[in-house]
């Protein structure tokens, strides 16, 4: 049983959509936790996340959320406001999916009693295969600082070190490998395969 769930959701394949996942990934490199804390890359898994919510009484969620703010601006939302903020202006199916997760968990009577959403306003989403934009990536460490402050308030112990990374992304799509391995504009066609989508007749 993991009483505290620290969850990153989003799609790393679509630029700033990956903010939440990258936050959990970074946190796992900086801090070590007891067995009653679980770090999870929730990606876009939707209802598959239900068992993790079932066993948690507290949850922190990192995500890119469109609040209509300036790119890179963060907003912290608590408890009952979390589902409504995540659905106020949907950016992708993963947000609808996670709203469903929370609603289902509440109906079944095992949703975490305490929830915090640490959200960041994205700058760019329409870039398949792209990484975080600088202004959004710069908010990873501030978001983690907020999360650690919340954990301190909850009395959740943490220390320098590395967390259990067994529920994070495969090494091939961790941020450094994914972003550094992207071909340049000259090496990769960004508009489609030229054999099938020629730019000129």
């Amino acid at each position: 049983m993991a009483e505290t769930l620290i969850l990153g959701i989003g799609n790393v394949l679509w630029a700033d959509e990956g903010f939440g996942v990258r936050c959990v990934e970074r946190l796992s490199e900086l801090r070590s936790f007891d067995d009653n804390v679980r770090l999870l890359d929730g990606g876009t898994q939707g209802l598959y996340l239900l068992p993790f919510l079932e066993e948690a009484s507290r949850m922190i969620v990192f995500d890119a959320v469109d609040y209509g703010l300036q790119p890179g601006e963060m907003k912290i939302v608590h408890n009952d406001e979390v589902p409504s903020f995540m659905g106020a202006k949907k950016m992708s199916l993963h947000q609808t999916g996670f709203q469903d997760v929370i609603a289902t968990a509440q109906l079944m009577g095992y949703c975490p009693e305490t929830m915090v959403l640490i959200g960041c306003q994205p700058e760019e989403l329409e870039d398949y295969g792209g990484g975080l934009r600088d202004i959004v990536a710069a908010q990873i460490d501030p978001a983690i600082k907020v999360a650690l402050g919340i954990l301190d308030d909850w009395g959740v112990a943490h220390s320098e070190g590395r967390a259990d990374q067994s529920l994070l992304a495969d090494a091939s799509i961790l941020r450094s490998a994914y972003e550094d391995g992207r071909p340049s504009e000259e090496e990769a066609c960004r508009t489609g395969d030229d054999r099938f989508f020629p730019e000129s007749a």
Side-chain angles (χ1 to χ4, degrees):
M1 297 289 289
E3 185 178 0
T4 301
L5 175 63
I6 305 175
L7 176 65
I9 60 174
N11 190 336
V12 298
L13 301 180
W14 288 102
D16 291 335
E17 260 263 316
F19 173 77
V21 173
R22 298 312 186 195
C23 284
V24 171
E25 176 187 313
R26 175 69 173 153
L27 178 59
S28 75
E29 297 170 349
L30 298 174
R31 308 301 293 178
S32 176
F33 300 92
D34 294 336
D35 291 341
N36 65 345
V37 178
R38 172 171 284 141
L39 271 65
L40 174 64
D41 170 3
T44 58
Q45 295 182 62
L47 292 172
Y48 288 103
L49 298 174
L50 272 174
F52 298 101
L53 271 68
E54 180 178 6
E55 67 180 30
S57 61
R58 299 177 295 234
M59 177 173 66
I60 294 174
V61 182
F62 296 101
D63 193 15
V65 182
D66 188 350
Y67 301 111
L69 304 174
Q70 292 297 311
E73 196 168 338
M74 285 200 305
K75 189 173 181 67
I76 317 302
V77 180
H78 296 264
N79 298 320
D80 291 342
E81 293 183 329
V82 171
S84 59
F85 264 84
M86 295 192 75
K89 188 174 180 182
K90 298 182 185 68
M91 299 186 308
S92 69
L93 290 175
H94 89 258
Q95 288 180 344
T96 304
F98 196 66
Q99 277 185 294
D100 290 344
V101 172
I102 294 175
T104 303
Q106 289 173 333
L107 284 172
M108 299 180 73
Y110 55 61
C111 191
E113 295 176 7
T114 304
M115 297 185 289
V116 179
L117 167 64
I118 302 175
C120 181
Q121 178 73 36
E123 179 180 39
E124 178 61 60
L125 300 173
E126 300 299 322
D127 182 14
Y128 185 72
L132 299 181
R133 296 308 188 254
D134 290 344
I135 197 168
V136 172
Q139 294 298 337
I140 291 177
D141 284 344
I144 288 172
K145 184 176 181 180
V146 170
L148 293 177
I150 292 167
L151 293 173
D152 289 340
D153 291 342
W154 291 347
V156 175
H158 54 89
S159 59
E160 289 187 16
R162 295 176 69 88
D164 176 15
Q165 298 180 329
S166 61
L167 295 175
L168 301 187
D170 183 83
S172 64
I173 57 170
L174 293 178
R175 186 179 174 207
S176 58
Y178 179 74
E179 294 188 1
D180 294 345
R182 190 186 198 200
S184 68
E185 295 285 347
E186 294 74 27
E187 294 174 313
C189 178
R190 295 282 183 255
T191 58
D193 191 322
D194 191 54
R195 294 171 298 175
F196 305 104
F197 303 103
E199 294 186 1
S200 59

